[in-house]
Amino acid sequence: MDKGLHFTLCVVTTVLLLRESSQAGEEKDPEVLAAPKLDSRRTGEGLPTLTVTTILEDPYVMVRGAELEGYCMELLAALAGMLRFQYRVKVVGDGQYGAVTAGGNWSGMIGEILRREADIAVAPLTVTSAREEVVSFTTPFLQTGIGILLRKDSTSQDMSFFHFLSPFSKETWTALLFAYLLTCFCLFLVARLSPCEWNEPKNEENHFTFLNSLWFGAGALALQGATPRPQALSVRVIAVVWWLFTLALLAAYIANFTALLGSGSEQLPIQTFEDLVKQRNLEFGTLEGSSTFYYFKNSKNPIHQMIYEYMEKRREHVLVKTYQEAVQRVMDSNYAFIGESISQDLAAARHCNLIRAPEVIGARGFGIATTQASPWTKPLSIAVLKLREAGDLDYLRNKWWESSCLRQSRDRWGPLEPPALGGLFLTLGIGLALGVLAALAELSSSSRRAAAHAK
């Protein structure tokens, strides 16, 4: 009996020790994350509850039914799982990110943080020096900059009728023509000087006349053999060098022409902010009260100052209230939107007729805002760094920025439009017409000679 009781006590003690060890392991390893879901509100008892302010912007925070979802919601769920806190999400009342009003107060999410209406702000909130003076920011969870969002048909240039000449510049074509004429003249001159090219000295006949030399050089450009055949070593050396030159030239032309046809469009005429200022066809603006607007206001760059003065003079017409309004205006009118490049990449991925200009300025990041004395700032920064190191932030970026332009690859390699090769067909038509006219001229000349001989 004593042995049975002793065995029972040992089993109970072992079970209790294993249970305590499991609970201690869970407390020491809070970074074990489940799949972040919006409806996971961390309702565990005894956990602190944070009030989170955010703003509706696709794909960061979106309304789906009665719930919120998006990049920031999944990020928030992951952070709550790592730091073990509950949260309550509220959308910012005035729909603003945060800027100083005329009365000296802060609006938007920054204002709610300062008024203690929210503990943290998880949103695409840009870290700026002015905001950093009144609130604290964590390590940025997304890197971005300032770009230009355009509509493709509002920026694309009309395709030239002589599109087939586009692979080379005007200077290259001019140099090619000069090289062709110089080479043909050298062939003609060397053939005249070399005695090996005089097959019939008594008749003083040389097959490399200047016209025949031009024909020989043109045949090499087309990778076709052409008579006369060179006999002298000097003429053959010039011919071989010309053949090598034309071979490399044709390879470069074919490669560039293939790339142009594959791209499906000419190079964008608006590549930089300087190009945007110089043009007169598009209006441009940004979000009212955004960090982008104040970036141009405070910049000492002359181009940036011109952009700010333009937007300030026409602020009632070119400044927009929301990001969705900006995208819709770009799609519906001749308007270019200046804003966060990462948000513009999303718009270009969702709307296949939009494109972002190559230049990006003002590198910056999106951070989580807290009060300056908040004990959550450093833990949140460390958690963001751990999510980045684990690849979770890249996963969320790829998930929510996935392109819906499924036909993009088909459009890229689709059938060529007539204007792309129209000039080539025109050149062929002109050549055929010249050939017919030359034949008529030769026939007329022959008829006149025959008539003169027969009197």
Side-chain angles (χ1 to χ4, degrees):
M1 183 68 181
D2 294 337
K3 291 182 178 180
L5 181 60
H6 179 71
F7 177 77
T8 302
L9 291 175
C10 290
V11 171
V12 173
T13 303
T14 303
V15 171
L16 292 176
L17 289 175
L18 290 175
R19 183 177 179 182
E20 291 176 0
S21 176
S22 176
Q23 291 177 351
E26 291 178 356
E27 292 175 356
K28 291 178 181 179
D29 190 15
E31 297 175 19
V32 178
L33 301 180
K37 297 180 180 178
L38 177 63
D39 55 0
S40 176
R41 295 303 184 188
R42 311 299 177 187
T43 57
E45 296 181 359
L47 298 180
T49 301
L50 300 181
T51 301
V52 182
T53 180
T54 188
I55 192 170
L56 295 179
E57 182 175 330
D58 186 10
Y60 304 98
V61 180
M62 300 172 290
V63 178
R64 291 293 183 270
E67 300 290 341
L68 298 176
E69 68 174 19
Y71 178 94
C72 288
M73 291 297 98
E74 293 198 14
L75 173 63
L76 179 59
L79 294 173
M82 296 178 68
L83 301 179
R84 301 188 65 80
F85 64 83
Q86 304 177 77
Y87 56 89
R88 182 178 63 86
V89 180
K90 61 185 293 290
V91 179
V92 61
D94 58 5
Q96 300 293 320
Y97 289 88
V100 181
T101 62
N105 299 319
W106 281 85
S107 63
M109 292 178 284
I110 301 296
E112 292 189 351
I113 295 290
L114 294 176
R115 294 189 299 269
R116 306 285 177 161
E117 297 175 6
D119 298 305
I120 61 174
V122 182
L125 188 61
T126 306
V127 180
T128 64
S129 59
R131 292 171 178 171
E132 189 74 53
E133 290 180 355
V134 295
V135 298
S136 295
F137 280 96
T138 65
T139 300
F141 57 85
L142 270 179
Q143 298 295 333
T144 182
I146 301 176
I148 308 171
L149 184 65
L150 308 159
R151 195 175 74 248
K152 290 181 179 178
D153 57 0
S154 67
T155 60
S156 59
Q157 296 172 325
D158 295 334
M159 186 173 292
S160 173
F161 199 63
F162 292 93
H163 186 65
F164 71 97
L165 298 177
S166 300
F168 291 157
S169 63
K170 296 179 181 178
E171 294 78 7
T172 304
W173 284 115
T174 303
L176 174 59
L177 178 62
F178 177 77
Y180 167 69
L181 294 177
L182 180 62
T183 302
C184 293
F185 177 77
C186 289
L187 283 172
F188 166 73
L189 182 62
V190 171
R192 286 285 170 178
L193 296 177
S194 176
C196 297
E197 290 296 336
W198 296 88
N199 294 327
E200 298 179 5
K202 294 182 179 180
N203 297 330
E204 296 184 355
E205 181 181 357
N206 189 299
H207 293 293
F208 269 95
T209 63
F210 187 68
L211 291 178
N212 286 346
S213 299
L214 292 175
W215 179 247
F216 181 87
L221 281 173
L223 297 181
Q224 301 294 324
T227 56
R229 299 181 182 276
Q231 302 294 330
L233 177 61
S234 56
V235 180
R236 290 182 177 182
V237 169
I238 295 177
V240 169
V241 172
W242 176 244
W243 290 340
L244 292 176
F245 173 81
T246 56
L247 184 63
L249 187 74
L250 288 174
Y253 176 86
I254 293 173
N256 289 347
F257 194 43
T258 303
L260 281 176
L261 295 181
S263 65
S265 63
E266 295 283 350
Q267 190 181 38
L268 285 175
I270 298 179
Q271 297 281 328
T272 64
F273 285 88
E274 184 176 358
D275 297 334
L276 184 64
V277 172
K278 291 181 179 179
Q279 59 82 37
R280 293 294 180 267
N281 297 326
L282 297 177
E283 295 180 324
F284 52 88
T286 186
L287 289 174
E288 185 177 3
S290 64
S291 60
T292 301
F293 179 81
Y294 289 101
Y295 173 86
F296 287 100
K297 179 179 180 180
N298 300 326
S299 176
K300 303 302 181 183
N301 188 302
I303 299 298
H304 300 171
Q305 280 296 308
M306 294 174 63
I307 293 176
Y308 167 72
E309 292 173 1
Y310 174 89
M311 294 189 297
E312 180 64 26
K313 291 179 181 178
R314 301 168 176 82
R315 60 180 307 133
E316 298 296 332
H317 186 60
V318 300
L319 297 184
V320 293
K321 301 294 184 181
T322 64
Y323 176 77
Q324 290 77 11
E325 179 187 350
V327 173
Q328 192 63 40
R329 186 168 177 181
V330 173
M331 296 174 60
D332 296 340
S333 61
N334 290 332
Y335 180 78
F337 173 60
I338 303 175
E340 303 292 347
S341 60
I342 193 169
S343 300
Q344 294 175 349
D345 290 339
L346 173 71
R350 300 287 175 85
H351 306 282
C352 300
N353 62 331
L354 300 182
I355 190 172
R356 179 174 63 81
E359 186 181 34
V360 176
I361 62 175
R364 54 184 64 190
F366 292 155
I368 299 174
T370 66
T371 58
Q372 289 187 332
S374 174
W376 291 98
T377 306
K378 187 172 182 179
L380 285 171
S381 293
I382 296 175
V384 168
L385 289 174
K386 290 181 178 179
L387 288 175
R388 179 180 299 167
E389 293 169 356
D392 294 339
L393 294 184
D394 292 334
Y395 166 76
L396 292 178
R397 170 73 164 79
N398 295 332
K399 174 183 177 180
W400 291 101
W401 270 258
E402 182 180 3
S403 176
S404 61
C405 298
L406 299 179
R407 70 175 188 275
Q408 185 173 6
S409 60
R410 295 199 301 268
D411 292 343
R412 179 179 177 87
W413 302 107
L416 297 179
E417 297 296 331
L421 299 177
L424 194 59
F425 286 101
L426 177 62
T427 303
L428 176 61
I430 293 176
L432 295 177
L434 290 177
V436 172
L437 292 177
L440 293 177
E442 291 174 350
L443 180 61
S444 175
S445 177
S446 177
S447 299
R448 285 198 299 272
R449 287 197 300 269
H453 183 269
K455 295 183 181 179

